[in-house]
Amino acid sequence: MATTFTAPKLSSPTFQTLCRNLPVFTPLPNPLSSSSRHRHHYRLHLQQQRRNLSVVRAESENGSELLRHYDFDLFTIGAGSGGVRASRFAANFGASVAVCELPFSTISSETTGGVGGTCVLRGCVPKKLMVYASKYSHEFDESNGFGWKYDTEPKHDWSTLMANKNAELHRLTGIYKNILGNAGVTLIEGRGKVVDPHTVDVDGKLYTARHILISVGGRPFIPDIPGSEYAIDSDAALDLPSKPEKVAIVGGGYIALEFAGIFKGLQSEVHLFIRQKKVLRGFDEEIRDFVGEQMSLRGIKFHIEESPLAIVKSADGSLSLKTNKGTIEGFSHIMFATGRRPNTKNLGLESVGVKMNKNGAIEVDEYSRTTVPSIWAVGDVTDRINLTPVALMEGGALAKTLFQNEPTKPDYRAVPSAVFSQPPIGQVGLTEEQAIKEYGDIDVYTANFRPLKATLSGLPDRVLMKLIVCAKTDKVLGLHMCGDDSAEITQGFAVAIKAGLTKADFDATVGIHPTSAEEFVTMRTPTRKIRQGPEAEGKTGNEAKAAAGV
Amino acid sequence: MARKMLVDEEMSQTNQEEAHYDFDLFVIGAGSGGVRAARFSANFGAKVGICELPFHPISSEVIGGVGGTCVIRGCVPKKILVYGAVFGGELEDARNYGWELNEKLNFNWKKLLHKKTDEIIRLNGIYKRLLSNAGVKLFEGEGKIVGPNEVEVTQLDGTKLSYSAKHILIATGSRAHRPPIPGQELGITSDEALSLEDLPKRAVIFGGGYIAVEFASIWRGLGADVDLFFRRELPLRGFDDEMRAVVARNLEARGINLHAQTNLTELIKTDNGIKVITDHGVELEADVVLFATGRLPNSKRLNLEAVGVELDNTGAVKVDEYSRTNIPSIWAVGDVTNRMNLTPVALMEGTCFAKTVFGGDSSKPDYSNIPCAVFSIPPLSVVGLSEEQAIEKANSDVLVFTSTFNPMKNTISGRQEKTVMKLVVDSETDKVLGASMCGPDAPEIMQGIAVALKCGATKAQFDSTVGIHPSAAEEFVTMRSVSRRVAVRGKPKTNL
């Protein structure tokens, strides 16, 4: 596997010198200026990293290391979003790169996967295609209000959708393979396992590499309750052979909500079981309430504070879900959307000393380096922010760090995200609750309105928009929206929020009329001003900080 | 009457405070700009009167309605019809997603029209309430200027009311006009097009601006055969040339017949409709001929000559940066001034006027980086400079980033229509000078981008923003490689 041995190899020793010192010189992100719950995470990682430093140094100072010959500069295990990005970019920077991936299947397991990974095969893409398909039933309803009429009610043919969806997935996995091939990355089909800090075993064949990247992602997790073998997870839910007539979805996270919308739109009866009072823990409280209401209005049956205890299969093949509140019968399918776990089992990580947390996520430093200096990890397997674009960012940053002499940390501030529920949610920055905790004094601007489309369609659809502004600096700390086009609308605002723009900057922008998005630049009066004390208005910076610490 | 007067000339008229006026402000025209100025002035404590013509969907010299063009004959009804028309394409797209629909879909134009009219009547009422809640006195009738501080309102029954006002604001908007060709009376304007009794089967549209393009998309989406005639090579003059070509391609792909560089020369009534004759000698027959050949300011019947308010050669009221005419007590905002004829701009002008005159805060409207949208199907939305404008104004090379892609929805629907996005960047400052997009949701997507541009965001700041996946909008933050670099050669650098 002797590929070009040129610039990158010469430059990587230089980098190693650089890199071993970096964690010491790199300042912590400023807790006041940057956001998100992940920071605490970080501090932890950094402490661990400091402890590991001695290891890094010891190895880097061992000069012979640099002279060793490897089959590859980088060997990536897992060709999903993060792995493909890191591999391609590394190859573009001149590195010789191999990536291994399990054979393609729509359902993931210890032995199946596919180039493209979760996003392309079992996540974002098929999910969004199903959302497109399912949204039509709402559009048919809307269109009635705009003068369209159906002589016979539109019927949905499940098999057409599945066939077209799977054709698209095959096309995409092919494209991903081509992308890798065109970048000069060697693709190896099989299950990769780490043998030592510089060796990967793929189904019995050994490959050596200067760096190993673990980007094996995560998989749905179903809790072990009686009858859990009858439950399906999101992998299966994206590829059901026939329409589920009556489906129970257990979970209140984004995956649960998205599938509730999908199945409802494709004309199933949908019951959603959530452990808590509200869906979407971690999201802005007002958004949580709002999306729950809107989904109920669209016919999804909510079972709150109801946890599954057992699944029973009846003689007629239907499933019953036993919960802490009773038993509901007659489900054709019971789906668990109860979290995902990193795919770190049987990768040989423990034996080489790659440290994992109690959930099985690989612990990494700010540069995505594990406790073994030559082994790195990006994406869901590290359980930082589990989003495709974040994995892409991490993969891109890693390639720069390793092969472009440009140590780059992924920046987790103001990462926007969307939930493709119906209606969808878009958000960036802090929730109201986080903002109060971190900044104390904030102004909250909200708009809760019936969009123009709904006034004509007569449907009870509404839109909620929300801006959270720092009272002291006027900076927009967070933006949240639930309603049509939320995901598309949020992206541009994410640029503005990432750039640290103020409410005054929003106000100075002229609206695009008539759109929903224009509401974000025409919010003139705060819905509420939150102050930490009666004399809050005239508070000094110190007092504000003290309050924020409460 | 302790209102702050900011404008110097008036400060010098010390006895102004003592003079008695019926109103601090009298506004002629209750459209977007007029209502905004009236409400905000009243909120600042001014005593405000406003007059507006009686309501009807189709405007004329004597017909108008509170809410103005935007609410009654523009943005709102247009967007409603676009929503209706988008379903045409959507329903086609549904089939490959597994939906079984009747081969022939029924669309009931009268129902849509009826609901649209209900909605604008509702909005008309809301606008009236907004005014009365703000304490603005509304008069129904035609307003005229009698003197620098004197207006006359002719009410419906012919009685005339006269009021004095410290300030007069002209906010009468504009109206569609028809080209002077033989048979022009057979054609209609956008006013009528929004209220047609029947959906045309064969529609001819003359004009290449946004109104022409939007109606072409509306009628086509609802099933009509549409022929669009325009004078230039491409529609939408003034927009980025590349995007104009994209729009033209999309319109054609959606089944609209484009006739570039073609003028209509005559309309003739026939038994089956209207015969349309072009300067290329083409003849075709249509049920409806729409003139979307421009709009003219409503400045004719205001008696402006009498007080000497200056107009430009198109009839637009000339104003300074604060929206003041050459007569210090008379001001004008919105389409009647023909600056940038958009509702949110009229709102901005109205707000600035109120702040300047009654809010103690001298404010000029800022016309930089104003985003706008064309609700064609699919829509176009832009903010900042076009590539051509950027090259024209640039002092350093211009970097152009483009992304042309098949939207995810089309991968299954099979619709052959690419979305195109574009960023124009200054190579020296890295500032994003302009952004444009043609594709579904473009107007919604562009609003946030506009905030970023307004504040001088750089390409690096775009790049550092994480995408929202899977969305179309994420393309704007993932444009890694430059499509072309346009050198500013041959352009003499200034000596500054």
Side-chain angles (χ1 to χ4, degrees), chain B residues 391-412:
Chain B
I391 292 167
E392 175 71 32
K393 291 186 184 175
N395 291 313
S396 57
D397 292 0
V398 170
L399 305 178
V400 181
F401 296 80
T402 57
S403 173
T404 301
F405 61 95
N406 198 25
M408 193 192 282
K409 191 172 184 180
N410 296 359
T411 60
I412 284 192

Side-chain angles (χ1 to χ4, degrees), chain A residues 85 88-89 119 124-125 127-130 132-137 139-140 142-158 160-161 164-165 168 171 265-267 387-390 392-393 411 413-418 420 426-427 451-453 455-458 481 484-496 498-502 505-506 508-521 524, chain B residues 36 39-40 70 75-76 78-81 83-85 87-102 104-109 111-112 115-116 119 122-123 221-223 342-345 347-348 366 368-373 375 381-382 406-409 411-413 437 440-452 454-455 457-458 461-462 464-477 480:
Chain A
R85 173 59 62 94
R88 277 174 60 204
F89 279 30
C119 168
C124 320
V125 174
K127 170 266 297 281
K128 185 89 187 269
L129 293 174
M130 304 264 293
Y132 280 130
S134 59
K135 256 174 69 177
Y136 278 111
S137 55
E139 283 173 34
F140 299 142
E142 287 178 321
S143 70
N144 284 324
F146 287 86
W148 293 88
K149 221 177 87 206
Y150 307 91
D151 291 338
T152 49
E153 274 304 298
K155 267 202 345 236
H156 188 255
D157 179 59
W158 190 267
T160 302
L161 174 61
N164 288 345
K165 181 212 69 171
E168 174 61 10
R171 192 183 70 89
L266 295 175
Q267 304 176 322
L387 294 170
T388 292
V390 171
L392 296 177
M393 170 172 69
D411 177 357
R413 286 174 304 132
V415 170
S417 67
F420 291 94
Q427 62 162 13
L452 181 58
K453 201 174 190 178
T455 55
L456 269 276
S457 71
M481 171 173 182
D484 272 354
D485 303 326
S486 291
E488 299 291 355
I489 289 171
T490 304
Q491 184 70 73
F493 290 103
V495 179
K498 183 78 199 278
L501 300 189
T502 62
D505 294 326
F506 274 62
T509 306
V510 172
I512 299 177
H513 189 68
T515 59
S516 290
E518 66 180 319
E519 285 292 322
F520 274 130
V521 299
R524 280 194 306 272
Chain B
R36 170 61 65 92
R39 282 175 57 210
F40 278 34
C70 170
C75 319
V76 174
K78 170 268 295 279
K79 184 88 189 268
I80 289 172
L81 296 190
Y83 276 133
F87 288 116
E90 287 287 301
L91 300 179
E92 285 169 27
D93 292 353
R95 297 179 202 273
N96 277 339
Y97 277 97
W99 290 98
E100 291 164 358
L101 303 170
N102 299 46
K104 186 115 179 63
L105 293 165
N106 296 319
F107 171 71
N108 184 338
W109 169 256
K111 180 174 176 185
L112 178 58
K115 295 194 75 165
K116 178 227 56 168
E119 175 63 7
R122 190 181 73 88
L123 291 173
L222 297 175
L342 295 169
T343 291
V345 171
L347 297 178
M348 170 173 70
D366 175 0
S368 67
N369 287 311
I370 289 175
C372 70
F375 290 92
S381 192
V382 304
N406 198 25
M408 193 192 282
K409 191 172 184 180
T411 60
I412 284 192
S413 71
M437 170 176 177
D441 302 326
E444 299 288 356
I445 290 170
M446 201 54 66
Q447 185 71 72
I449 304 285
V451 178
K454 182 80 186 175
C455 301
T458 60
Q461 283 173 320
F462 272 69
S464 78
T465 305
V466 173
I468 294 178
H469 188 68
S471 67
E474 67 181 318
E475 285 293 319
F476 270 127
V477 299
R480 279 195 308 274

Side-chain angles (χ1 to χ4, degrees), chain A residues 106-129:
Chain A
T106 52
I107 313 282
S108 65
S109 72
E110 289 285 309
T111 54
T112 53
V115 174
T118 305
C119 168
V120 175
L121 305 177
R122 286 171 298 277
C124 320
V125 174
K127 170 266 297 281
K128 185 89 187 269
L129 293 174

Side-chain angles (χ1 to χ4, degrees), chain A residues 65 103 144 210 213 220 225 232 273 311 319 335 346 358 363 434 550:
Chain A
E65 180 68 20
N144 284 324
R210 181 177 301 278
L213 172 62
I225 58 166
I232 58 167
F273 294 82
I311 299 171
L319 302 170
M335 174 187 170
N346 302 321
K358 60 179 192 318
E363 291 188 357
Q434 289 168 337
V550 171

